[in-house]
C-alpha cells in the first residue's frame, strides 16, 4: 500500500510541477541541404547533434541506469560506472566529479524525459480525456523503465540533503 500511495503521490506531484513549469517549445530545425556527395559518418554524427563528449556523458548515464538495476547506489563505484560505460576512470572524472554528480545527471535526464510525457496535452485536436490517458501511460512507462533509478533517487534524497534539494 505504501509503494502504491508513494507512486500516486509522486505522479500527482510530477503533473503539478510539470504543468507549472512547462516552458519548453520545440524549435524546428531547418531542413538539411542536400549535397552532391554523401556526408561522412563523422559529419552525420555532428548533424545528429551529439558530439563525442555528449555521447560519452550519455554513455555514463546509461551505464549508471543499467547498474542501478543490479547494484545498490551505496555499493556502486566510479570504477564500476566507467567500466560499464567503456571509459577509463580518469575520463569519467572529466565529466562527473563524483558518483553523486552522476546520479544528479541521471535524475535530470529522467526528469526531462518525464516532462515530455505532458506533450499529448499540448495537442489541441486531441480530446483531453484521450490526451490525459496517453500522458498517464507515458508516465507509467517511464516509471517502469527507470524504476531502479527512481528508487535510488528517493532513497538518496532521504539521506543526502544536497541530493534532496535536486530531487525535490
Amino acid at each position: 500500500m505504501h509503494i502504491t500511495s508513494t507512486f500516486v503521490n509522486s505522479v500527482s506531484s510530477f503533473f503539478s510541477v510539470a504543468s507549472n513549469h512547462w516552458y519548453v517549445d520545440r524549435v524546428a530545425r531547418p531542413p538539411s541541404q542536400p549535397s552532391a556527395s554523401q556526408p561522412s559518418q563523422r559529419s552525420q554524427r555532428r548533424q545528429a547533434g551529439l558530439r563525442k563528449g555528449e555521447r560519452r556523458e550519455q554513455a555514463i548515464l546509461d551505464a549508471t541506469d543499467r547498474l542501478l538495476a543490479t547494484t545498490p547506489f551505496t555499493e556502486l563505484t566510479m570504477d564500476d560506472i566507467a567500466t560499464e560505460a567503456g571509459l577509463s576512470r580518469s575520463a569519467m572524472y572529466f565529466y562527473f566529479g563524483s558518483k553523486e554528480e552522476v546520479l544528479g545527471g541521471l535524475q535530470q535526464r529522467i526528469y526531462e524525459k518525464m516532462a515530455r510525457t505532458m506533450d499529448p496535452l499540448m495537442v489541441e485536436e486531441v480530446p483531453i480525456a484521450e490526451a490525459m490517458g496517453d500522458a498517464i501511460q507515458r508516465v507509467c512507462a517511464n516509471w517502469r523503465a527507470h524504476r531502479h533509478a527512481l528508487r535510488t533517487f528517493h532513497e538518496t534524497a532521504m539521506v543526502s540533503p544536497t541530493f534532496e534539494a535536486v530531487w525535490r
Side-chain angles (χ1 to χ4, degrees), residues 13 29 33 42-43 45-47 50 53 65 74 76 80 88 90 95 98 113 142 145 147 149-151 158 160-162:
S13 296
R29 292 186 178 177
Q33 300 295 323
R42 183 177 181 187
S43 171
R45 283 194 309 265
R46 284 190 174 159
Q47 287 176 358
L50 291 180
D65 201 11
T74 55
L76 202 58
D80 296 334
S88 68
S90 60
Y95 298 99
S98 67
K113 186 176 181 181
N142 280 322
R147 65 188 175 275
L150 292 166
R151 181 201 68 234
M158 291 177 12
S160 168
T162 305

Side-chain angles (χ1 to χ4, degrees), residues 6 8 10-11 20-21 25 34 40 45 54 56 61 78 82 119 122 126 134 138 141 150 155:
T6 301
V8 170
S10 296
V11 170
N20 288 333
H21 291 92
D25 288 328
S40 68
R45 283 194 309 265
E54 293 167 326
R56 283 185 171 182
L61 298 177
M78 290 291 272
D119 288 351
M122 303 307 289
V126 177
D134 189 24
R138 288 173 175 221
L150 292 166
E155 292 170 354

Side-chain angles (χ1 to χ4, degrees), residues 63-79:
T64 304
D65 201 11
R66 284 191 304 273
L67 286 169
L68 289 173
T70 59
T71 309
F73 182 69
T74 55
E75 295 176 18
L76 202 58
T77 66
M78 290 291 272
D79 282 332

Side-chain angles (χ1 to χ4, degrees), residues 10 16 66 101 117 152 163:
S10 296
S16 175
R66 284 191 304 273
E101 285 184 22
T117 62
T152 301
F163 189 77

Side-chain angles (χ1 to χ4, degrees), residues 103-152:
L103 191 65
L106 182 60
Q107 186 273 332
Q108 181 64 36
R109 183 174 79 172
I110 291 173
Y111 177 80
E112 289 169 0
K113 186 176 181 181
M114 292 287 263
R116 288 191 302 272
T117 62
M118 301 294 284
D119 288 351
L121 299 173
M122 303 307 289
V123 180
E124 292 182 21
E125 297 81 30
V126 177
I128 192 70
E130 184 180 329
M132 282 297 293
D134 189 24
I136 291 169
Q137 285 179 347
R138 288 173 175 221
V139 168
C140 291
N142 280 322
W143 273 90
R144 279 187 225 108
H146 302 290
R147 65 188 175 275
H148 304 292
L150 292 166
R151 181 201 68 234
T152 301

